[in-house]
């Protein structure tokens, strides 16, 4: 299949870029390309972005007009060069952006049909539904048990047996329970980097979210631990929807079902992962994937 | 241990589904907490405004006499009378004297402070520097009365020995200065003692700034083959100069506001002469020296308040200049840059000037080799120079303190007619056989309990306020005008001279709220001194803890407060606690604010005061001061006052030392319990 060569040149703000992108998209469509974002029925959809914009303080929009649906029980990878807004997009799903700076938004993000940016929504409840795993393994400087029990305790689970079972099942589902052989009261810093990251995933699972957001969860780990984490994410897909930001193209190709390619605050391409990696529609996507910039 | 019926455990066995009412409750609690934090933090603004307005209010009787105000700053006649019409209120000698002490102290502490900061950051390995640093910083917690005692006891004889040597006389004469009889207590002696106190301030702030130079910059300078001195000059200095100069100004502010040293050393004589080897007076020494004569509501009292206001304005200007230097304003930045330009070339004279010159010529390899030799030589010479500066400071301070303490120990342990135990006993309990109850021979026991009670009480007042303000500022304060005001208030309260704090508390609490002299007004005064210390320390302790634990907790659904309380505050606790103990050590030696508000020489009926107000107490630092200056009692022909002052100094030093050591000790213990071993 011959590819349409189109240059996307210099631009300043995501807004300006989006205008150019629209033109190019129309051109593509007129030439008969299938460049619609994947569509899912309401039942299949976990998160829906509706013309979502976000900006920090008084600066111009950081993300411009995000309009897509994330399917249930799939792994969706967000890829793109540094500073394109991947992490901002990820964090806007559990509203962590506003914990770091003042933000303003436009448009909606729907989870179970409810706009999470509406004033009625409780941020704390939202975060029990949408868990997050950070880039570096960052367990609390406490025992393994306390690390996992922190979330459930916070949300009112006080009975020891219940907590025990939550801790246990969470550790089991990340495959750490056997490895630590019941040394639950050991300090979390005694674990290896990969184990620490899995502990962090277990900690997130312990509050029973529907969605797990992972911000480059394996970028600070060695290859073996990375492989374990990837394996784990693939397993978790059965129970959770996973959205992952990654810089690692192979990782995205290996584990994700769908991929979102972002550039300059705009979602350029969103499709099944194999399509993105094998026959990207835009030259920009192809350049990025083949490593010509990043 | 957990039962292993795990096979049928599924991930969604327990749904964590907090009730909406529960969430609402937690959120409301968060809002309430923030409100409380904010309200308490605002109290710092109130303190600052109150200090300024009370000073103006009590000085206001004098504002009706503009000629008297003018006289204050232009004439050198100080004969206060009951009414402004009669007396003379020229305090020019005191105003000039403030700078006559301040400027030499400033010069000396720049050389010592900046010199040893450069040496510790550039010329020593960090592991070694970290061991030397506490020795320098400990000097900051030595009470000013002790330095006053040291200057009083030794500097006179040292100076007169030094300046009466023929060759020194010769050199001085060459510069047109004829050394005459050196009086006991000179500007120079006070300045050296003050430099002891301000050097640690300048050194530790500058050192922090120099250390914060990005490693990348240092390494790239190193990669170009720069010597240690060149790294400092080209990379570290440009990066840290603003902070260095701000720290110098802060040190200067502290020096001109210092009371006890000048009061004990200068002799309070109205001499208006540009000469460092004479008696003199400063604004602080006039205020404290004439306070005893000022009856309530008299014109003298108003004049002293005006003098205090003047001092407050001078320190406020100094603080303002410091904030200008560190501001991000571009015009100011450029101005400061031009101002500091000469300092950029200080090191150039030694060898590297030649290097610049030679760069203009075409260089042969021989010449380059020569040049690098010269650069290396310059590096070594400067290193030796800075090392000498460090050594001279450590030696000067520790030899003085050491000798002083040893002579104090002699008082207890030297062989004599009476046993050591007896002497310690008498020092603490007093001499039951002796009838000189009024002077000297009252035991120190009630002074020790008095100090402990007043420090405890001021801790009870200031720790909550200061810790909460620190927490609010570092974690929860939104960017806005109020936050800036709170920050500025803390900086300014920190710069208020201790004597002005004393005046303020006297005016508002002792007189205005009719508390008289007692432990409550006294500890309020000490609290005002302590709040900025503890606040700054709390902010620093919290900033040292990485914020990602809080983010993780928030991502798990915690409110900001819950995240902070569970996963930041506990980890910062060891350092916050150390700050408490060091802050207490610092204020336990404060004397000036207690002069008018709490301290007395009369022994109380009970060791611990029974009333919060109208019951003056004995405190150790005041004991030292009083005994040194007012005791004339002779026992068997010996003047006992100064000996007793030395004994009291030893006890005070032990007190401060105990608190300081306890600070570091407690930190290690808590650190072990709340181990935070993560990368900081």
């Amino acid at each position: 299949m011959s590819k349409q060569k189109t240059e996307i040149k210099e631009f300043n703000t995501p807004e300006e870029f989006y205008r150019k992108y629209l033109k190019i998209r129309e051109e593509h469509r007129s030439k008969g390309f299938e460049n619609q974002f994947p569509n899912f029925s309401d039942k299949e959809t976990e998160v829906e972005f509706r013309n979502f914009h976000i900006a920090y303080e008084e600066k111009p929009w950081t993300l411009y007009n995000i309009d897509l649906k994330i399917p249930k029980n799939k792994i969706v990878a967000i890829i793109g060069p540094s500073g394109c807004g991947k992490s901002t997009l990820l964090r806007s799903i559990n509203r962590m952006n506003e914990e770091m700076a003042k933000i303003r938004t436009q448009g909606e993000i729907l989870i179970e049909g409810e706009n999470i940016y509406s004033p009625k929504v409780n941020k704390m409840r939202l975060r029990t539904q949408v868990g997050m795993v950070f880039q570096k393994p960052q367990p609390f400087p406490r025992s393994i048990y306390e690390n996992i029990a922190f979330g459930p305790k916070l949300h009112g689970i006080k009975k020891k047996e219940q907590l025990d079972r939550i801790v246990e099942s969470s550790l089991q589902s990340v495959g750490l329970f056997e490895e630590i052989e019941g040394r639950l009261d050991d300090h979390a810093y005694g674990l290896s980097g990969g184990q620490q990251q899995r502990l962090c995933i277990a900690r997130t699972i312990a509050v029973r979210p529907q969605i797990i957001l992972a911000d480059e969860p394996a970028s600070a780990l060695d290859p073996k631990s990375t492989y374990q984490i990837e394996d784990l994410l693939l397993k978790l897909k059965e129970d959770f929807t996973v959205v992952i930001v990654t810089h690692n193209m192979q990782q995205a190709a290996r584990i994700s079902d769908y991929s979102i390619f972002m550039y300059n605050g705009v979602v350029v391409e969103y499709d099944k992962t194999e399509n993105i990696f094998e026959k990207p529609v835009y030259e920009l996507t192809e350049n990025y994937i083949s490593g010509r910039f990043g | 241990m957990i039962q292993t019926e795990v096979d049928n455990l599924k991930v969604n066995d327990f749904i964590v589904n907090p009730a909406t009412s529960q969430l609402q409750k937690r959120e409301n609690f968060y809002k309430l907490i923030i409100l409380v934090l904010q309200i308490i933090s605002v109290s710092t603004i109130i303190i600052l405004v109150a200090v300024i307005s009370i000073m103006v209010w009590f000085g206001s009787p004098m504002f009706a006499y503009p000629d008297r105000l003018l006289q204050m700053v232009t004439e050198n006649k100080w004969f206060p009378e009951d009414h402004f019409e009669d007396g003379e209120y020229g305090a020019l000698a005191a105003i000039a004297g403030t700078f006559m002490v301040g400027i030499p102290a400033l010069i000396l502490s720049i050389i010592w402070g900046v010199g040893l900061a450069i040496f510790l950051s550039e010329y020593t390995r960090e592991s070694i520097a970290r061991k030397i640093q506490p020795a320098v910083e400990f000097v900051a917690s030595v009470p000013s009365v002790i330095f006053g005692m040291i200057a009083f006891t030794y500097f006179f004889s040292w100076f007169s020995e030094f300046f009466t040597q023929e060759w020194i006389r010769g050199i001085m004469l060459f510069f047109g200065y004829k050394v005459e009889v050196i009086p006991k207590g000179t500007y120079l002696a006070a300045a050296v003692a003050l430099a002891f106190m301000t050097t640690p301030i300048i050194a530790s702030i500058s050192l922090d700034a120099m250390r914060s130079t990005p490693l990348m910059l240092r390494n790239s300078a190193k990669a170009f083959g720069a010597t240690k001195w060149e790294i400092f000059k080209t990379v570290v200095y440009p990066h840290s100069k603003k902070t260095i100069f701000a720290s110098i100004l802060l040190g200067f502010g502290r020096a001109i506001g210092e009371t006890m040293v000048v009061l004990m050393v200068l002799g309070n004589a109205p001499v208006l002469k540009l000469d460092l080897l004479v008696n003199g007076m400063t604004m602080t020494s006039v205020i404290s020296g004439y306070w005893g004569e000022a009856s309530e509501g008299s014109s003298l009292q108003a004049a002293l308040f005006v003098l205090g206001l003047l001092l407050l304005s001078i320190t406020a200007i100094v603080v303002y200049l410091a904030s200008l230097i560190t501001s991000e304003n571009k015009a100011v930045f450029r101005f400061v840059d031009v101002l500091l330009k000469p300092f950029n070339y200080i090191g150039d004279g030694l060898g590297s000037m030649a290097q610049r010159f030679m760069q203009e010529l075409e260089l042969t390899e021989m010449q380059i080799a020569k040049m690098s030799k010269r650069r290396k030589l310059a590096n070594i010479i400067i290193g030796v120079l800075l090392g000498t500066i460090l050594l001279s400071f450590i030696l000067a301070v520790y030899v003085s303190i050491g000798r002083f303490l040893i002579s104090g120990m002699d008082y207890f342990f030297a062989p004599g007619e009476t046993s050591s135990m007896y002497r310690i006993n008498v020092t603490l309990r007093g001499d039951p056989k002796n009838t000189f109850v009024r002077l000297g021979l009252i035991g120190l026991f009630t002074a020790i309990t008095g100090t402990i009670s007043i420090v405890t009480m001021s801790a009870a007042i200031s720790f909550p306020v200061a810790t909460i303000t620190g927490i609010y500022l570092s974690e929860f304060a939104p960017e806005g005008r109020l936050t800036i005001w709170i920050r500025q208030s803390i900086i300014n309260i920190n710069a208020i001279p201790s004597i002005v704090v004393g005046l303020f508390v006297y005016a508002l609490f002792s007189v205005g709220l009719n508390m008289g002299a007692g432990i409550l007004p006294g500890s309020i005064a000490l609290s005002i001194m302590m709040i900025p210390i503890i606040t700054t320390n709390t902010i620093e302790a919290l900033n040292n803890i990485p914020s990602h634990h809080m983010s993780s907790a928030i991502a798990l659904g915690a409110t900001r407060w819950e995240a902070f309380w569970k996963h930041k505050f506990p980890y910062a606790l060891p350092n916050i606690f150390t700050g408490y103990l060091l802050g207490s050590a610092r204020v336990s030696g404060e004397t000036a604010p207690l002069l008018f508000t709490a301290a007395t020489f009369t022994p109380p009926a009970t060791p611990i005061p029974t009333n919060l107000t109208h019951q003056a107490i004995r405190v150790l630092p005041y004991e030292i001061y009083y005994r040194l200056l007012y005791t004339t009692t002779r026992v068997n022909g010996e003047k006992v006052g100064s000996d007793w002052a030395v004994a009291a100094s030893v006890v005070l030093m032990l007190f401060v030392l105990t608190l300081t050591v306890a600070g570091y000790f407690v930190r290690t213990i808590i650190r072990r319990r709340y181990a935070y071993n993560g990368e900081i």
Side-chain angles (χ1 to χ4, degrees):
Chain A
M1 184 179 177
S2 70
K3 226 163 274 145
Q4 195 73 31
K5 302 264 171 190
T6 332
E7 288 285 323
I8 299 181
K9 281 238 172 90
E10 285 302 305
F11 25 77
N12 295 321
T13 63
E15 193 174 348
E16 287 164 22
F17 176 59
Y18 186 74
R19 298 238 169 76
K20 278 184 188 148
Y21 164 73
L22 273 188
K23 267 185 216 155
I24 294 164
R25 194 171 76 176
E26 284 316 308
E27 266 174 45
H28 275 67
R29 285 209 180 137
S30 63
K31 282 167 191 155
F33 276 97
E34 281 275 337
N35 56 0
Q36 295 281 10
F37 289 169
N39 199 3
F40 305 99
S41 71
D42 280 355
K43 246 189 176 172
E44 292 167 333
T45 309
E46 184 79 67
V47 185
E48 182 179 355
F49 288 79
R50 273 196 199 155
N51 303 93
F52 183 72
H53 303 56
I54 192 168
Y56 293 109
E57 280 150 17
E58 301 307 314
K59 290 173 195 146
W61 296 113
T62 309
L63 298 183
Y64 197 85
N65 205 15
I66 310 291
D67 198 84
L68 51 85
K69 286 177 178 176
I70 290 173
K72 265 184 189 155
N73 291 19
K74 293 275 187 286
I75 298 183
V76 178
I78 307 176
I79 56 173
S82 304
C84 69
K86 301 188 296 289
S87 295
T88 304
L89 181 67
L90 190 77
R91 285 197 301 259
S92 57
I93 304 176
N94 70 343
R95 292 181 64 176
M96 278 299 278
N97 282 323
E98 57 209 82
E99 299 298 334
M100 301 172 187
K102 243 187 184 168
I103 56 152
R104 63 203 161 91
T105 62
Q106 190 186 310
E108 295 176 330
I109 297 178
L110 304 181
I111 294 178
E112 290 178 346
E114 197 177 4
N115 178 16
I116 61 168
Y117 281 87
S118 91
K120 275 187 294 180
V121 165
N122 188 308
K123 279 191 280 182
M124 286 130 70
R125 182 193 293 283
L126 172 71
R127 285 172 197 149
T128 63
Q129 292 168 351
V130 188
M132 184 158 189
V133 178
F134 293 86
Q135 184 171 5
K136 276 188 189 159
Q138 296 167 340
F140 300 128
R142 293 266 189 264
S143 74
I144 294 169
Y145 185 93
E146 282 176 82
N147 257 287
I148 297 176
F150 173 74
K153 263 191 206 164
L154 199 65
H155 297 295
I157 292 180
K158 295 215 172 69
K159 279 193 196 138
K160 180 88 170 83
E161 313 91 68
Q162 266 183 329
L163 282 174
D164 283 352
R165 279 169 73 94
I166 289 179
V167 169
E168 190 181 342
S169 67
S170 306
L171 281 174
Q172 289 236 326
S173 48
V174 299
L176 208 55
F177 192 72
E178 287 75 20
E179 273 175 53
I180 59 166
E181 296 166 351
R183 284 176 287 124
L184 288 175
D185 293 323
D186 280 16
H187 203 279
Y189 285 1
L191 300 175
S192 74
Q195 286 174 325
Q196 287 188 13
Q197 190 62 303
R198 279 187 286 153
L199 177 66
C200 290
I201 296 176
R203 180 173 75 183
T204 310
I205 291 174
V207 292
R208 302 296 182 258
Q210 309 156 14
I211 307 166
I212 295 176
L213 310 176
D215 193 348
E216 301 187 48
S219 69
L221 303 177
D222 59 278
K224 189 178 164 238
S225 309
T226 305
Y227 172 74
Q228 278 178 325
I229 298 278
E230 285 177 9
D231 215 36
L232 174 60
L233 290 177
L234 282 172
K235 215 173 75 193
L236 290 178
K237 173 167 100 162
E238 292 165 21
D239 295 302
F240 307 96
T241 303
V242 179
V243 184
I244 176 173
V245 164
T246 179
H247 257 119
N248 184 335
M249 287 309 109
Q250 284 82 21
Q251 188 173 63
R254 272 196 301 268
I255 64 170
S256 67
D257 302 299
Y258 289 87
S259 291
I260 297 172
F261 174 66
M262 287 186 73
Y263 194 84
N264 202 11
V266 170
V267 172
V268 174
E269 204 161 343
Y270 174 30
D271 206 341
K272 285 212 163 94
T273 300
E274 57 261 33
N275 290 349
I276 293 253
F277 278 85
E278 279 157 26
K279 38 178 185 171
V281 176
Y282 302 102
E283 201 204 350
L284 197 63
T285 317
E286 196 197 356
N287 283 350
Y288 179 71
I289 284 164
S290 57
R292 249 166 264 170
F293 72 96
Chain B
M1 209 64 262
I2 291 168
Q3 307 266 309
T4 37
E5 21 141 333
V6 274
D7 296 304
N8 49 8
L9 257 181
K10 275 248 173 91
V11 171
N12 282 324
D13 265 6
F14 302 98
I15 305 290
V16 177
N17 190 9
T20 311
S21 64
Q22 208 64 34
L23 288 172
Q24 203 56 48
K25 226 184 239 170
R26 281 165 57 198
E27 204 159 357
N28 288 344
F29 181 71
Y30 168 61
K31 281 178 189 152
L32 182 74
I33 283 267
I34 299 304
L35 190 68
V36 171
L37 294 190
Q38 194 167 25
I39 289 170
I40 291 176
S41 306
V42 167
S43 69
T44 54
I45 301 179
I46 297 173
I47 292 174
L48 186 66
V49 172
V51 170
I52 295 168
S53 34
I54 290 288
M55 293 300 291
V56 172
W57 177 256
F58 271 69
S60 60
M62 199 173 177
F63 295 150
Y65 302 89
D67 55 321
R68 292 294 179 215
L69 283 176
L70 192 67
Q71 187 189 28
M72 182 173 261
V73 293
T74 51
E75 281 178 44
N76 185 25
K77 287 183 211 151
W78 182 262
F79 304 110
E81 293 287 336
D82 282 348
H83 299 287
F84 279 114
E85 287 84 357
D86 311 327
E88 305 279 358
Y89 296 88
L92 190 59
I95 294 166
T98 302
F99 291 96
M100 295 267 283
V101 178
I103 289 171
L106 177 72
I107 294 170
L108 203 52
S109 55
I110 289 175
I111 296 172
W112 271 337
V114 179
L116 71 88
I118 299 173
F119 187 76
L120 288 182
S121 93
E122 305 303 316
Y123 282 87
T124 37
R125 238 178 288 153
E126 186 155 347
S127 56
I128 299 171
R130 296 245 179 235
K131 277 174 195 135
I132 301 176
Q133 213 180 338
V136 176
E137 275 164 8
F138 173 68
V139 178
S141 53
V142 174
S144 56
V145 264
I146 304 273
F147 281 121
M149 280 294 292
I150 289 172
F152 186 85
T153 327
Y154 297 119
F155 286 4
F156 165 63
S157 58
W158 288 353
F159 283 177
S160 54
E161 246 171 60
F162 181 73
F163 284 106
T164 46
Q165 276 175 11
E166 274 313 311
W167 63 279
I168 297 284
R169 266 172 197 269
I171 291 171
M172 300 289 269
L173 212 56
F174 177 76
F175 286 109
Y177 184 89
K178 196 165 175 297
V179 178
E180 287 157 11
V181 180
I182 296 170
K184 196 175 173 89
T186 55
Y187 281 125
L188 190 62
V192 173
L194 286 184
F196 282 174
M197 298 166 65
T198 48
T199 299
I201 300 173
I202 295 178
S204 61
I205 299 177
S206 308
L207 189 56
D208 280 345
M210 290 177 196
R211 281 214 182 111
S212 70
T213 310
L215 197 65
M216 222 171 61
L217 290 179
R218 272 174 197 278
N219 284 347
S220 30
K222 227 181 256 175
F224 278 113
T227 62
K228 283 172 180 166
W229 172 248
E230 283 163 350
I231 293 175
F232 174 75
K233 225 176 53 181
T234 53
V235 175
V236 179
Y237 177 71
H239 177 264
S240 53
K241 65 181 169 193
K242 286 164 124 196
T243 320
I244 296 174
F245 279 84
S247 79
I248 290 170
L249 283 174
L250 289 183
F252 182 61
R254 184 63 59 84
I256 58 177
E258 170 51 42
T259 310
M260 294 321 289
V261 167
V262 290
L263 192 58
M264 291 163 87
V265 175
L266 268 185
N268 237 2
V271 181
L272 190 61
K273 198 174 161 196
L274 194 67
D275 186 347
L276 291 181
L277 293 173
V278 291
N279 271 330
M281 66 201 315
T282 67
M283 290 152 87
T284 52
S285 76
V286 167
I287 295 170
S288 45
Y290 282 91
W291 187 258
E293 298 168 21
S295 52
E296 214 180 293
S298 66
S299 65
L300 172 58
Q301 199 185 51
L304 293 181
F305 269 96
V306 171
L307 213 52
L309 198 58
L310 190 60
L311 183 64
L312 186 63
S313 351
I314 294 173
T315 50
I317 290 170
V318 170
V319 168
Y320 179 67
L321 286 179
S323 74
L324 266 193
I325 284 184
T326 48
S327 80
E328 295 299 316
N329 189 323
K330 263 196 186 144
V332 176
F333 186 84
R334 226 170 280 144
F335 175 70
V336 170
D337 236 28
V338 171
L339 214 64
L340 301 188
K341 204 137 212 183
F343 292 94
N344 294 350
Y345 296 105
I346 286 177
D348 287 6
L350 289 152
S352 34
M353 200 88 112
Q355 176 204 344
R356 271 162 195 255
F357 175 69
M358 284 164 80
Q359 270 168 356
E360 317 253 312
L361 308 170
E362 288 197 8
L363 297 176
T364 64
E365 269 182 35
M366 268 297 274
Q367 281 170 317
I368 291 176
K370 234 186 208 166
M371 191 176 85
S372 79
K373 218 181 222 173
R374 211 174 290 191
R375 285 170 44 214
K376 273 181 192 155
L377 196 66
N379 183 40
I380 292 169
I381 291 173
I382 291 170
V384 170
L385 198 73
L386 294 173
T388 321
I389 286 172
L390 170 74
L391 216 59
S392 74
F393 176 72
I394 300 270
L395 277 181
V397 173
Y398 280 92
V399 165
S400 319
I401 296 177
R403 246 185 97 163
F404 179 68
L405 288 184
I406 287 167
S407 79
M409 288 299 175
D410 268 357
Y411 174 82
F412 294 111
F413 298 113
E417 284 172 29
T418 50
S419 73
S420 300
M421 272 321 287
Y422 173 77
R423 274 178 266 174
I424 292 173
N425 201 21
V426 168
T427 310
L428 291 181
R429 298 255 203 88
D431 187 351
K433 283 172 275 172
N434 209 306
T435 46
F436 293 112
V437 177
R438 205 177 77 79
L439 302 162
L441 298 182
I442 319 154
L444 283 177
F445 181 68
T446 47
I448 295 171
T449 54
T451 303
I452 292 173
S453 10
I454 202 166
V455 170
T456 312
M457 183 135 180
S458 46
I461 298 172
S462 66
F463 288 177
V465 176
T467 313
I468 286 172
T469 310
I471 289 173
Y472 180 71
L473 283 183
S474 96
E475 303 298 328
F476 300 101
E479 284 306 315
R481 201 161 285 169
L482 186 71
T483 307
I484 293 172
W485 282 350
I486 296 173
R487 282 218 177 88
Q488 282 302 321
S489 303
I490 288 160
I491 295 170
N492 280 293
I493 292 172
N494 192 29
I496 299 176
S498 52
I499 192 86
V500 173
V501 173
L503 286 178
F504 160 70
V505 172
Y506 169 83
L508 182 59
F509 294 95
S510 299
V511 176
L513 297 174
N514 193 23
M515 289 184 182
I519 186 170
L520 183 60
S523 45
I524 288 171
L526 291 189
S527 299
I528 296 175
M529 310 288 302
M530 192 129 68
I531 282 173
I533 302 175
I534 306 286
T535 307
T536 323
N537 180 74
T538 306
I539 293 175
E540 213 166 276
L542 290 173
N543 284 349
N544 273 337
I545 303 299
S547 58
H548 60 66
H549 296 315
M550 262 179 86
S551 306
S552 301
I554 290 170
L556 287 169
T559 62
R560 223 182 150 71
W561 172 256
E562 286 164 344
F564 169 77
W565 187 245
K566 287 268 159 63
H567 287 297
K568 189 153 197 182
F569 189 62
Y571 312 144
L573 214 52
N575 283 334
I576 293 178
F577 226 87
T578 312
Y580 285 169
L581 284 159
L582 296 185
S584 307
R586 184 79 55 85
V587 298
S588 65
E590 277 294 343
T591 323
L594 302 181
L595 288 175
F596 328 134
T597 56
T600 177
F601 191 68
T602 323
T606 51
I608 293 167
T610 46
N611 279 328
L612 289 178
T613 56
H614 294 293
Q615 187 183 8
I617 58 166
R618 293 175 76 204
V619 286
L620 280 170
Y622 181 70
E623 204 73 9
I624 298 168
Y625 163 68
Y626 189 89
R627 286 179 169 182
L628 184 68
L629 292 191
Y630 290 107
T631 309
T632 49
T633 313
R634 284 163 195 276
V635 177
N636 302 332
E638 284 285 309
K639 191 176 166 191
V640 292
S642 61
D643 256 4
W644 275 80
V646 173
S649 308
V650 171
V651 176
L652 179 61
M653 261 322 267
L654 285 178
F655 190 85
V656 171
L657 202 63
T658 314
L659 278 177
T660 314
V661 172
Y664 290 111
F665 193 64
V666 163
R667 176 163 62 178
T668 31
I669 288 180
I670 302 186
R671 213 172 244 175
R672 219 169 287 153
R673 278 198 58 190
Y674 293 91
Y676 180 77
N677 303 319
E679 57 208 56
I680 289 187

